[in-house]
């Protein structure tokens, strides 16, 4: 691998002041509890992140996105928020947060935080108040309470299922000790859904967005952005009714809780608040919606950007990649947003593992919360010997390098720069934390395997994650993937990411690409307006490279040939 180009011409100050900084940003997702532990309690924390700012700077990312760090009982890894305007005491204090934000900003790195507006935790003071208050009270109206069906109200108001398995309704005990109403929870029962028709709920989130914006937060990732508004006024349809109406409900925004049209009124209001800041605060929607409806979330009058999980759900396949890229660039252009690209996050099996699974297991089509391939492998035991680790990593490197050449924002998940594999069977059931494991026995193993604390060093009690242990067990093979080992290797995945991200910052000027035909269905070549081309060989047969200087390649070249499962950039 050779690098002949010079480094970024843009200064940190320009990046920090640019209102469009997000359009082509490389955003690094940190799962705070598993990134770096500063005080040896086995849990990653805010000061741990601050201590790693030089690492993030050297990696070359433009922004960091923090998954929830708020007070939480961790019924869903922090996506069950007790208090929206505070830091979990196990992770630090607001002062620690300010110090982290300022260290990131000094290094020219923007800060995005996760906002979880669809549900609070059941420990939130509002929910506690609702439980203590009578039926029909203003306190209950902040959530979605309904009477049950059946003579005694003993049946849930509908047969809907929670995303994590089991019913989407939980019955409460009334303050007088009698069995009472039911509340809705699309996710775990510790995550009661908020009622977005209630003006107090709306007000409170504006307050939260302002609170973090005033503290210097540059942008927000909006959790389950497509679920906030609901229509539960009439008799609730059954799951069978909903299935019968199928696509129409989704396409017309009429589903009782997913992707309703009115949700955009909320985001229009948020946008006004974001635009009061200079530069305006940014937002990206996590909205698992029909592709045709994604642009509404990404509009400049709305959140501004939306995740596209299409590449994450595609196989390592030239035709699927090309179709996905073309479609999403066109969509982004139409919405006025820039595209987003993601291969891994805290909810899915890491792409270095997905790409190493037997071909028969690899079609992810149709499964929305996580690549089906990865889930099947986990269910089958999640054994590393069933993964072609070498091929998976090779393909993951090729895919990531291709992504870095694309216009739009690249969202990376901590550990992918180390080429980390998913941790499968090495996590014993007794140590699992994800509610989807407990609520969905035998159907899901859950997402703990991509949330195992990072290996920073080759040795030590937690591979340098902290001075003591780690809240999820790290397998022995983490040693070879550690930052310490990879920093010393010219051809490591970490070195590849650093080189590619440094080069990528020179591609930022425009948001277009041009496909070049190769005559090979398994090879994709595109050119960016600065003249650079990205070539990916998805097959196994070496491909003769066009003329040009090689800027970087994801695996070593074979003379003038690009081997299989490899990407190279040419100048
Ligand atoms: C989002 C998060 C996921 C969480 C869920 C409920 O999908 O990414 O981790 O479990 O929302 O908040
Ligand atoms: Ca800690």
């Amino acid at each position: 691998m050779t690098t002949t180009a010079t480094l970024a011409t843009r200064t940190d100050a320009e990046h920090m002041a640019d209102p469009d900084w997000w359009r082509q940003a490389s955003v690094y997702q940190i799962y705070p509890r598993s990134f770096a532990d500063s005080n040896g309690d086995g849990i990653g924390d805010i000061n741990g992140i601050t201590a790693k700012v030089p690492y993030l700077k050297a990696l070359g990312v433009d922004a960091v996105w923090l998954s929830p760090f708020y007070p939480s009982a961790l019924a869903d890894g922090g996506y069950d928020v007790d208090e929206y305007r505070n830091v979990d005491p196990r992770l630090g204090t607001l002062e620690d947060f300010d110090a982290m934000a300022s260290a990131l900003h000094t290094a020219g790195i923007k800060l995005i935080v996760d906002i979880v507006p669809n549900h609070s935790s059941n420990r939130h003071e509002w929910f506690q108040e609702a439980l203590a208050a009578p039926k029909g009270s203003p306190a209950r109206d902040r959530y979605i309470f309904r009477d049950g069906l059946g003579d005694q109200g003993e049946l849930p108001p509908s047969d809907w299922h929670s995303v994590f398995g089991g019913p989407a309704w939980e019955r409460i005990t009334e303050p007088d000790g009698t069995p009472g109403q039911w509340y809705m929870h699309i996710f775990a029962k510790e995550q009661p859904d908020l009622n977005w028709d209630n003006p107090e709920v709306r007000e409170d989130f504006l307050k939260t967005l302002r609170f973090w914006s005033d503290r210097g937060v540059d942008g927000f990732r909006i959790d389950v952005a497509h679920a906030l508004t609901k229509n539960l006024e009439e008799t609730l349809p059954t799951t069978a009714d909903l299935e019968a109406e199928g696509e129409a409900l989704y396409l017309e925004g009429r589903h009782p809780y997913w992707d309703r049209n009115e949700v955009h009124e909320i985001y229009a209001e948020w946008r006004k608040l974001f635009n009061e800041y200079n530069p305006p605060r940014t937002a990206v929607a996590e909205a698992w919606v029909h592709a045709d409806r994604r642009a509404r979330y990404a509009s400049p009058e709305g959140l501004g950007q939306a995740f596209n999980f299409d590449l994450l759900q595609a196989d390592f396949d030239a035709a699927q990649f090309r179709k996905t890229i073309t479609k999403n660039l066109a969509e982004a252009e139409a919405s006025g947003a820039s595209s987003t690209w993601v291969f891994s996050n805290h909810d899915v099996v890491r792409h270095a593992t997905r790409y190493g699974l037997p071909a028969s297991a690899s079609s992810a089509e149709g499964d929305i919360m996580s690549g089906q391939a990865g889930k099947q492998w986990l269910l089958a035991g999640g054994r590393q010997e069933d993964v072609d680790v070498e091929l998976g990593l090779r393909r993951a490197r090729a895919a990531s390098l291709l992504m870095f050449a694309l216009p739009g924002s690249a969202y990376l998940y901590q550990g992918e720069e180390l080429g980390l594999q998913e941790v499968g069977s090495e996590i014993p059931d007794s140590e699992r934390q994800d509610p989807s494991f407990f609520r969905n026995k035998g159907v899901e193993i859950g997402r703990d395997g991509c949330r195992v604390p990072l290996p920073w060093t080759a040795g030590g009690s937690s591979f340098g994650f902290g001075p003591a242990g780690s809240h999820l067990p790290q397998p022995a093979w983490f040693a070879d993937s550690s930052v310490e080992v990879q920093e010393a290797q010219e051809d490591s995945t970490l070195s590849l990411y650093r080189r590619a991200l440094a080069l990528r910052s020179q591609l930022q000027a425009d948001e277009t690409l041009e496909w070049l035909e190769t005559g090979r269905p398994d090879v994709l070549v595109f050119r960016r307006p600065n003249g650079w081309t990205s070539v990916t060989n998805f097959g196994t047969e070496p491909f003769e490279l066009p003329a040009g200087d090689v800027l970087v390649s994801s695996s070593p070249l074979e003379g003038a040939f690009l081997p299989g499962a490899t990407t190279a950039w040419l100048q």
Side-chain angles (χ1 to χ4, degrees):
M1 284 177 279
T2 50
T3 307
T4 52
T6 51
L7 291 186
T9 46
R10 237 167 104 82
T11 64
D12 285 348
E14 280 163 358
H15 169 58
M16 296 309 279
D18 181 4
D20 283 335
W21 67 267
W22 52 277
R23 294 191 73 90
Q24 313 248 30
S26 308
V27 184
Y28 184 87
Q29 181 190 356
I30 290 182
Y31 193 75
R33 288 176 182 78
S34 300
F35 187 66
D37 172 20
S38 69
N39 61 356
D41 63 357
I43 301 170
D45 44 50
I46 301 289
N47 288 340
I49 298 170
T50 309
K52 298 296 184 191
V53 169
Y55 172 80
L56 299 165
K57 184 68 185 163
L59 182 58
V61 294
D62 302 308
V64 154
W65 148 30
L66 294 191
S67 277
F69 50 84
Y70 314 107
S72 168
L74 303 183
D76 181 21
Y79 284 89
D80 45 321
V81 179
D82 295 350
E83 241 184 288
Y84 288 89
R85 298 181 287 272
N86 209 343
V87 175
D88 187 328
R90 288 166 295 185
L91 270 60
T93 62
L94 279 169
E95 289 66 40
D96 295 337
F97 182 92
D98 292 342
M100 173 195 66
S102 116
L104 286 165
H105 287 159
T106 305
I109 300 172
K110 295 274 185 179
L111 174 59
I112 295 172
V113 302
D114 224 305
I115 294 290
V116 189
N118 179 65
H119 42 264
S120 73
S121 87
N122 58 345
R123 307 199 314 175
H124 192 284
E125 61 169 351
W126 276 358
F127 194 72
Q128 288 304 315
E129 228 183 278
L131 290 179
K135 177 178 157 177
S137 59
R140 289 239 172 133
D141 188 59
R142 297 191 192 109
Y143 292 90
I144 302 174
F145 279 89
R146 287 190 67 117
D147 292 335
L149 303 177
D151 294 343
Q152 313 291 327
E154 71 281 11
L155 300 172
S158 75
D159 67 347
W160 300 344
H161 279 259
S162 118
V163 170
F164 292 151
W169 297 95
E170 182 74 13
R171 194 171 195 187
I172 66 157
T173 302
E174 296 294 343
D176 66 4
T178 57
Q181 286 198 295
W182 299 71
Y183 66 88
M184 185 178 180
H185 59 91
I186 300 185
F187 293 91
K189 69 175 191 316
E190 294 84 359
Q191 295 166 297
D193 281 52
L194 286 160
N195 172 17
W196 276 85
D197 285 335
N198 182 308
E200 248 187 293
V201 170
R202 295 198 181 211
E203 271 309 305
D204 198 66
F205 273 88
L206 291 173
K207 194 167 161 192
T208 295
L209 295 170
R210 213 177 275 291
F211 177 87
W212 294 110
S213 297
D214 289 344
R215 282 201 120 79
V217 164
D218 303 288
F220 300 94
R221 178 264 189 192
I222 312 304
D223 189 66
V224 233
H226 56 308
L228 275 48
T229 51
K230 295 175 176 91
N231 182 7
L232 307 186
E233 288 316 307
E234 295 135 41
T235 311
L236 303 185
T238 63
T239 299
D241 292 337
L242 295 176
E243 279 168 4
E245 277 213 66
E247 285 285 274
L249 283 176
Y250 289 93
L251 290 172
E252 293 157 22
R254 290 190 294 113
H255 189 279
Y257 51 95
W258 292 133
D259 192 22
R260 292 187 60 81
N261 293 333
E262 315 87 82
V263 78
H264 300 290
E265 292 162 16
I266 297 172
Y267 300 135
E269 206 177 351
W270 290 15
R271 173 47 57 195
K272 288 196 199 117
L273 183 153
F274 296 152
N275 288 351
E276 287 173 25
Y277 290 86
N278 182 23
R281 300 320 190 217
T282 67
V284 57
E286 186 220 21
W288 296 86
V289 300
H290 203 286
D292 297 350
R293 295 176 55 89
R294 201 184 288 143
R296 297 163 181 244
Y297 294 85
S299 113
E301 288 78 45
L303 294 175
Q305 207 178 37
F307 282 129
N308 125 46
F309 297 113
D310 301 352
L311 272 190
L312 184 158
Q313 291 174 287
D315 293 334
F316 186 76
D317 174 88
Q320 287 186 39
F321 268 58
R322 179 163 173 171
K323 192 174 129 201
T324 300
I325 293 166
T326 305
K327 193 186 83 190
N328 280 288
L329 289 177
E331 229 178 64
E333 205 188 332
S335 69
S338 66
S339 197
T340 57
W341 310 106
V342 189
F343 286 115
S344 283
N345 63 32
H346 66 298
D347 289 330
V348 299
V349 169
R350 288 183 177 278
H351 64 296
T353 300
R354 294 200 310 266
Y355 288 153
L357 296 173
S360 59
S362 76
S363 191
E365 215 90 59
D367 187 277
I368 151 158
M369 273 302 272
S370 88
Q372 196 56 278
K375 267 195 192 172
Q376 281 169 10
W377 166 75
L378 283 173
L379 273 177
R383 300 177 334 153
Q384 243 209 12
E385 43 286 29
D386 299 331
V387 181
D388 188 338
V389 167
E390 205 185 312
L391 179 65
L393 177 59
R394 194 183 167 91
R395 286 175 166 173
R397 290 168 58 134
S400 297
L401 189 55
L402 179 156
M403 168 170 80
F404 295 146
L406 291 174
S409 317
Y411 283 85
L412 324 181
Y413 176 54
Q414 69 177 40
E416 72 166 81
E417 79 280 17
L418 305 176
L420 271 195
Q421 296 281 331
E422 184 83 3
V423 184
S425 58
E426 294 95 339
I427 305 179
D429 287 0
S430 59
E431 300 209 29
R432 293 215 166 260
Q433 300 175 5
D434 188 352
S436 61
F437 172 73
F438 302 104
R439 294 185 61 94
N440 241 340
K441 281 246 185 273
V443 185
E444 291 215 33
I445 304 301
R447 302 160 293 180
D448 296 314
C450 62
R451 300 175 178 183
V452 176
L454 291 191
W456 294 91
T457 56
S461 58
S462 58
F463 300 108
F465 165 63
S470 137
H471 68 95
L472 276 168
Q474 300 159 301
W477 48 262
F478 259 35
D480 298 335
S481 301
S482 66
V483 173
E484 179 185 31
V485 166
Q486 296 203 33
E487 272 187 326
Q489 292 168 349
E490 172 71 7
D491 62 352
S492 67
T493 306
L494 179 59
S495 299
L496 170 68
Y497 268 63
R498 285 181 177 174
R499 192 171 300 128
L501 287 169
L503 287 166
R504 176 180 156 83
S505 55
Q506 296 181 46
L507 279 169
Q508 301 218 336
D510 66 86
E511 297 179 20
T512 59
L513 61 74
E514 177 198 357
W515 294 104
L516 304 180
E517 300 311 323
T518 63
R520 279 262 309 257
D522 56 352
V523 175
L524 289 187
V525 184
F526 60 85
R527 183 164 47 212
R528 295 293 303 272
N530 72 344
W532 293 7
T533 52
S534 172
V535 188
T536 303
N537 184 351
F538 286 83
T540 49
E541 197 62 27
F543 174 75
E544 189 171 358
L545 283 170
D549 289 340
V550 177
L551 293 166
V552 58
S553 70
S554 63
S555 292
L557 302 180
E558 292 168 2
F561 286 84
L562 184 70
T566 305
T567 294
W569 292 6
L570 304 179
Q571 190 177 23

